[in-house]
Amino acid sequence: MDWITTVDHKKIAILYLWAGGLFFGIGGIEALLIRWQLIKPMNDFVDAQTFNELITMHGTTMIFLGVMPIIFALMNAVIPLQIGARDVAFPFLNALGFWTFLFGGLLLNLSWMMGGAPDAGWTSYTPLSGTAYSGTHGVDFYTIGLQIAGLGTLIGGINFLATIITMRAPGMSFMRMPMFAWTTFITSAIILFAFPAITVGLVLLTFDRILGANFFVPGGGGSPVLWQHIFWIFGHPEVYILILPAFGIISEVIPTFARKRLFGYSSMVFATILIAFLGFMVWAHHMFTTGLSPVANALFAVSTMLIAVPTGIKIFNWLFTLWGGSVRFATPNLFASGFIPTFTMGGVTGVMLASAPADFQFHDTYFVVAHFHYVIVGGLVMGLFAGLHYWWPKMFGRMLSETLGKWTFWTFIIGFHLTFFVQHFLGLMGMQRRVFTYLPNQHFDTLNLVSTIGAGLMGAGMLVFLANVWITSRKPPDAGGDPWEDGRTLEWSIPSPSPEYNFKQTPLVRGLDAFWKEKTAGNKGMTPAEPIGSIHMPSATPLPFVMAVGIFIAGLGFMFSRDDFSSALVSFLFNNYVVTGLGLLITFGAMLVRSLYDDHGWHIEPEELEGR
């Protein structure tokens, strides 16, 4: 019950981590099934329909339900600690954001057991995702599930913006914030502007499918290209929602293990802002082949290539930080160091795809698949591994095994390059993506076999990581407050795991890398900015969970509102929107209780803080 009612950012971080890990595992199994189908030509392991469902659910699950919640787990675990705060700005909303994400994800994955999964690709291009070509409820699970899950992401983004703007410790100006806090701030701003676009698109697609509207139906006057504009106005910034936090993680890990200040801190900050700005300007480079004008193609091509400039600044700054440092290759730094060349390769192929004439050749081939996975898996997932190994002792009070960590790194990175490097050549030779099989004797056979073996090796790396987590969880807590001994930011100045109130006294920040500055001045901890006093804490409550359950029931009811059922009672409940109304009643009832019940929280008194 404690986990259902908690509003503590550290426990919500763990909830995000386990839920994201579950969905990441499901998406990973779907990926292995896809690769097994393609291991040889004319394979009949799965049929075309199941393959379409697998590729749709793999992409959707990994992007929206796998890696994003793990990013939110690290943000929740680290950001309040890094800025010297005792929690996020709105703890209640933080819990609501998690539960809506979880129930949205569960609704989407229920599709496997309730009549067919989405089958129109993770982009759900219209008219392929319309009822004419996708007659099951699969795409309805996609649209409604993602709306519910996206609500949680939007809530989380607004919460982190408010937290970082208003709750920084005394002395922590914006230009003294750690880079992970900066990238979280910028990522949250992107979420604020990008997620409303996809929410509107999903609502319109839902109306097309369930209420018979014609927003994207050509026969009714709608435009399929309109869906692509809406999707990619969200979809391209989404890439930066995913990768910027990884940039932040790498910018924390490398200085710690190089025992050097991050090179070019100010340029890193402005490069992050510039990447976010340009990220909104380039959505149409995904649509070069839809028939845009040459002028539009040229403008979007140039703006896309410009993103390489601030990205290059970041890469060179990481290299200059390592250069001449006293570098220690512990597991987090192995992943961070492996991230740099791997992500750079994804960036280079991104510049190739930014050229409109070249994109006409690469479009819808495995070259695009390889590029995308070099950015997202080679960049983001490597960054997440670095961050998880780095902050695991702060989250759980236990050090992960270094030996198993190195095994995870080597099996994963070798498997990754085996899987995706050869796919560049498959694409250049003309192998189409999203096709469930291929004919023999096209020179695709050996490269697909190598790619599948690599995917198996990546899976083995994941199993080693899970074994590491399992073995570590059975040991008593052994991590000190600064377990890497070279921690630079505020989270390393308090015990591991951090106490419920985070900081007994709010710290006074006297420069960039605040904790490192105190250590080098000979101090054992942070200088407090206030005397020890009573600490206000928010109350635990089940209301966020109840609200999310209500939204889940309402979504399920709306989805089946036009169906025919064999039972008259079931037909009455669904066709008359009784189920939908019940779900909304639960949600609005919980909101009413929240509004009318005046909860002042509780306090931890100074005597308790000092153990008296």
Side-chain angles (χ1 to χ4, degrees):
M1 193 65 183
D2 181 44
W3 289 98
I4 288 178
T5 61
T6 186
V7 294
D8 181 355
H9 73 96
K10 297 176 287 295
K11 288 186 176 177
I12 290 172
I14 293 171
L15 288 171
Y16 266 117
L17 183 61
W18 295 143
L22 170 68
F23 289 125
F24 192 92
I26 293 171
I29 291 169
E30 288 161 353
L32 290 174
L33 295 176
I34 292 167
R35 284 311 322 164
W36 191 258
Q37 166 64 18
L38 297 172
I39 193 171
K40 64 179 183 180
M42 300 302 289
N43 198 2
D44 58 359
F45 175 63
V46 295
D47 58 24
Q49 174 62 25
T50 306
F51 188 83
N52 286 343
E53 293 173 355
L54 282 172
I55 60 167
T56 302
M57 287 298 287
H58 166 67
T60 308
T61 302
M62 283 301 198
I63 295 289
F64 294 100
L65 309 177
V67 289
M68 278 203 68
I70 297 177
I71 292 170
F72 267 66
L74 291 177
M75 289 178 177
N76 265 288
V78 175
I79 291 303
L81 305 182
Q82 275 201 334
I83 64 171
R86 293 203 168 99
D87 207 322
V88 294
F90 306 111
F92 182 93
L93 285 182
N94 200 23
L96 179 61
F98 167 74
W99 290 114
T100 49
F101 144 73
L102 179 65
F103 279 99
L106 291 176
L107 183 67
L108 178 60
N109 277 277
L110 273 179
S111 60
W112 284 115
M113 295 170 277
M114 295 183 68
D119 56 358
W122 81 279
T123 54
S124 271
Y125 281 159
T126 55
L128 194 61
S129 56
T131 52
Y133 296 97
S134 186
T136 70
H137 274 299
V139 177
D140 298 327
F141 279 103
Y142 172 94
T143 57
I144 295 176
L146 289 189
Q147 284 177 65
I148 297 173
L151 184 63
T153 306
L154 192 56
I155 289 172
I158 294 170
N159 211 348
F160 281 117
L161 279 176
T163 303
I164 293 172
I165 290 171
T166 64
M167 298 180 69
R168 285 170 286 122
M172 181 173 279
S173 63
F174 271 101
M175 292 311 286
R176 287 179 177 176
M177 277 204 315
M179 275 311 300
F180 185 61
W182 255 114
T183 54
T184 298
F185 181 70
I186 299 298
T187 299
S188 301
I190 302 175
I191 288 172
L192 183 63
F193 291 104
F195 265 73
I198 190 65
T199 303
V200 169
L202 290 170
V203 169
L204 298 183
L205 185 56
T206 305
F207 285 177
D208 271 12
R209 290 183 55 84
I210 297 180
L211 300 182
N214 292 302
F215 293 104
F216 307 118
V217 181
S223 168
V225 177
L226 174 63
W227 167 261
Q228 292 198 35
H229 279 294
I230 293 174
F231 185 88
W232 288 116
I233 284 173
F234 150 80
H236 198 78
E238 169 71 6
V239 174
Y240 299 100
I241 290 171
L242 299 176
I243 201 65
L244 286 182
F247 287 175
I249 293 167
I250 302 304
S251 300
E252 299 292 335
V253 171
I254 285 180
T256 296
F257 292 97
R259 293 179 58 82
K260 277 180 65 184
R261 182 174 172 172
L262 180 66
F263 185 90
Y265 169 83
S266 301
S267 64
M268 293 291 261
V269 171
F270 290 110
T272 305
I273 297 170
L274 190 57
I275 289 171
F277 175 75
L278 290 173
F280 274 101
M281 302 291 112
V282 301
W283 80 89
H285 77 226
H286 295 274
M287 301 166 60
F288 284 148
T289 57
T290 58
L292 301 177
S293 71
V295 174
N297 281 354
L299 288 174
F300 282 105
V302 170
S303 56
T304 304
M305 291 179 189
L306 279 178
I307 296 182
V309 176
T311 307
I313 290 172
K314 283 182 169 291
I315 289 168
F316 279 108
N317 281 352
W318 291 322
L319 294 175
F320 288 141
T321 306
L322 287 167
W323 185 270
S326 178
V327 183
R328 183 158 59 106
F329 285 103
T331 304
N333 199 28
L334 273 180
F335 278 105
S337 303
F339 164 97
I340 297 173
T342 309
F343 177 78
T344 303
M345 289 176 66
V348 168
T349 52
V351 174
M352 295 168 70
L353 286 164
S355 168
D359 184 75
F360 271 73
Q361 301 300 315
F362 301 139
H363 196 77
D364 270 342
T365 71
Y366 264 82
F367 188 88
V368 178
V369 177
H371 156 72
F372 184 76
H373 284 84
Y374 260 80
V375 172
I376 298 300
V377 183
L380 172 61
V381 176
M382 294 278 281
L384 289 178
F385 268 128
L388 287 172
H389 283 87
Y390 183 55
W391 282 305
W392 196 271
K394 188 55 63 181
M395 292 178 71
F396 297 98
R398 297 173 174 84
M399 298 290 289
L400 288 171
S401 162
E402 276 293 290
T403 304
L404 290 176
K406 289 179 170 60
W407 272 100
T408 304
F409 171 75
W410 287 112
T411 48
F412 188 83
I413 196 167
I414 293 171
F416 168 81
H417 285 288
L418 277 178
T419 305
F420 296 109
F421 186 71
V422 297
Q423 290 184 6
H424 291 104
F425 300 100
L426 281 170
L428 292 173
M429 289 190 293
M431 180 167 171
Q432 294 290 300
R433 62 172 171 165
R434 297 170 178 157
V435 176
F436 88 109
T437 191
Y438 50 92
L439 293 171
N441 303 318
Q442 299 183 91
H443 307 292
F444 297 162
D445 308 16
T446 304
L447 294 181
N448 271 298
L449 174 64
V450 170
S451 187
T452 302
I453 292 170
L457 204 53
M458 289 173 69
M462 289 301 304
L463 291 177
V464 175
F465 176 70
L466 292 177
N468 197 354
V469 170
W470 170 253
I471 292 168
T472 303
S473 68
R474 299 175 68 82
K475 294 180 179 177
D478 59 350
D482 184 15
W484 303 111
E485 299 177 352
D486 296 308
R488 309 179 72 86
T489 42
L490 289 181
E491 72 269 29
W492 306 112
S493 67
I494 56 177
S496 301
S498 48
E500 188 172 9
Y501 45 83
N502 292 352
F503 296 90
K504 187 188 297 182
Q505 295 167 280
T506 302
L508 178 66
V509 175
R510 300 196 287 188
L512 184 63
D513 291 342
F515 186 43
W516 181 264
K517 191 175 181 66
E518 297 289 343
K519 285 193 294 187
T520 52
N523 300 326
K524 292 184 178 178
M526 293 300 299
T527 303
E530 61 178 6
I532 295 177
S534 179
I535 297 175
H536 176 254
M537 302 294 293
S539 298
T541 170
L543 290 178
F545 175 81
V546 174
M547 288 180 191
V549 169
I551 295 172
F552 173 84
I553 293 172
L556 207 58
F558 185 62
M559 190 185 311
F560 291 98
S561 61
R562 296 294 183 93
D563 281 35
D564 296 322
F565 298 94
S566 56
S567 164
L569 176 62
V570 176
S571 292
F572 172 79
L573 292 176
F574 278 94
N575 296 156
N576 291 287
Y577 297 101
V578 175
V579 177
T580 306
L582 175 65
L584 293 177
L585 184 65
I586 292 171
T587 300
F588 286 117
M591 291 171 70
L592 186 65
V593 171
R594 170 69 179 170
S595 302
L596 296 178
Y597 178 65
D598 202 9
D599 184 357
H600 294 287
W602 55 288
H603 288 79
I604 302 175
E605 301 303 332
E607 296 77 15
E608 190 178 347
L609 291 172
E610 295 184 335
R612 286 183 277 158

